[in-house]
Amino acid sequence: MKAIVYDRYGPPDVLHLADVPQPEAGPGEVLVRVRAAAVTTADWRMRAAAYPGILWLPGRMMTGFLRPKHPVLGTDFAGEVVAAGPGASRFRLGDRVFGFSGRGAYAEYLTIAENGAVAATPDALSDAEAVALPFGAVSALVFLRGFAQLEPGQDVLILGASGGVGCYAVQIAKAMGAVVTGVASAANLDLVRDLGADRAIDYRAEDPMAGTDRYDLVFDAVGATDFARARPVLKPRGLFLPLNFGGREIVQVLLGKITGGKRIAIGVSGDSGADLDALKAMISAGTLRPVIDRIYPLDGIVEAHTYVEARHRRGAVVLSPMIVSPTA
């Protein structure tokens, strides 16, 4: 089968098309014909071995110290079930599914445990729309529902509100009953409002960390600020929640447990079928929708990675179709 592979860490052009063996579904697994894959922040960080702060060591342990252990990147997929391994009965052949594979989505086929982070694709969504959800929307859900324990009526400031995680954080926070202020560039303010934000701030025209408004939660989805700068706009028991963190934030969390008052929390988003089902329920309720910035063909992978790494996207970046164009 065709796949996008890399055999060394580096810039986007280390990615190239190759023929690799097609996987076979093992016990409890299904084989998925991939119709769309997402290009996420996790993907480019694994490609470049660009892990922030103290996460460098565990990141290299996961992907390989000197060279990649797993040549096919791609964490998010959407497609259809074409085979089932022994004991796998959750899905039928031909079922459309989407989810989080961890790796291997930049290929024509992948295998995944049927009880893993995979779910039936809603009929209302195309494969490209479905694959726009797992990374950004699940991250937003886990951080807001789990780490922040967001409650109805709370005031929330979301930094990077038009990005791959932020665009879903706005929608999910609103669905949870929060009063949402989204921060983005001027060009993206209409999108932030359309996603449900009660207020949208252009960060180039107004510094949200210097204003008079106070928030129960400051969710930094892009690494735009730090706890010291966020403290003045937090309410007395307010929480600063960064998507990315390093050693400084770990120390601040520990100190906060001693001193009390304004808080910082950190965490790493997991992925599960239950989280995907929660997203599907919000889609059915009309409180969540996919946000797609750009769609590239499979052989546009270098351009797609270059664009995502620049960190100015509006929502998800998608690879589809997962075939090579005739002129490639």
Side-chain angles (χ1 to χ4, degrees):
M1 69 174 183
K2 297 293 186 182
I4 298 296
V5 304
Y6 73 136
D7 50 23
R8 61 185 176 89
Y9 299 117
D13 61 9
V14 302
L15 299 169
H16 59 278
L17 191 69
D19 289 305
V20 301
Q22 181 176 313
E24 296 183 359
E29 293 182 334
V30 291
L31 177 69
V32 177
R33 171 70 167 93
V34 180
R35 300 296 186 186
V39 179
T40 70
T41 300
D43 293 333
W44 78 254
R45 286 196 181 280
M46 285 190 282
R47 183 212 74 229
Y51 305 107
I54 63 171
L55 296 181
W56 185 90
L57 180 59
R60 279 297 185 100
M61 291 177 65
M62 176 181 68
T63 59
F65 278 104
L66 301 179
R67 61 182 60 85
K69 292 189 294 186
H70 307 288
V72 183
L73 286 171
T75 58
D76 297 10
F77 71 92
E80 64 184 88
V81 175
V82 295
S89 58
R90 180 182 170 197
F91 299 104
R92 297 175 299 178
L93 301 189
D95 280 354
R96 295 176 61 231
V97 295
F98 76 112
F100 179 85
S101 60
R103 61 175 182 268
Y106 294 176
E108 293 181 296
Y109 297 89
L110 62 78
T111 57
I112 186 167
E114 67 168 5
N115 60 355
V118 58
T121 302
D123 292 337
L125 300 185
S126 68
D127 292 323
E129 290 171 328
V131 85
L133 293 169
F135 177 79
V138 168
S139 294
L141 176 67
V142 170
F143 272 74
L144 295 176
R145 181 195 61 192
F147 302 139
Q149 298 182 2
L150 187 63
E151 297 179 358
Q154 289 190 319
D155 293 298
V156 178
L157 179 70
I158 298 174
L159 307 180
S162 62
V165 175
C167 70
Y168 295 111
V170 171
Q171 298 181 73
I172 292 171
K174 283 300 297 181
M176 297 176 70
V179 179
V180 177
T181 299
V183 181
S185 65
N188 293 328
L189 295 185
D190 285 343
L191 170 63
V192 173
R193 295 187 189 99
D194 186 53
L195 294 173
D198 299 281
R199 183 185 177 209
I201 296 176
D202 173 10
Y203 67 86
R204 292 189 178 95
E206 177 182 348
D207 182 1
M209 300 297 108
T212 58
D213 292 323
R214 297 295 178 262
Y215 303 93
D216 298 287
L217 171 65
V218 174
F219 179 39
D220 184 359
V222 289
T225 192
D226 56 36
F227 188 34
R229 292 200 66 236
R231 282 184 67 93
V233 300
L234 289 173
K235 294 181 181 181
R237 284 291 296 163
L239 175 69
F240 175 61
L241 184 62
L243 188 66
N244 302 309
F245 64 89
R248 175 184 58 184
E249 286 74 24
I250 293 175
V251 171
Q252 290 169 338
V253 169
L254 295 175
L255 290 175
K257 293 182 181 299
I258 299 173
T259 60
K262 298 177 182 181
R263 301 164 296 144
I264 176 176
I266 57 175
V268 177
S269 174
D271 298 276
S272 69
D275 291 333
L276 296 175
D277 287 337
L279 299 182
K280 290 171 60 177
M282 284 187 280
I283 291 169
S284 297
T287 57
L288 180 69
R289 62 178 172 88
V291 181
I292 298 176
D293 184 338
R294 299 185 181 186
I295 299 178
Y296 293 88
L298 182 62
D299 49 10
I301 187 65
V302 172
E303 185 179 356
H305 262 247
T306 300
Y307 182 62
V308 171
E309 190 170 352
R311 309 189 75 178
H312 294 298
R313 60 191 168 116
R314 294 160 47 103
V317 172
V318 173
L319 296 176
S320 185
M322 302 298 288
I323 58 176
V324 183
S325 65
T327 58

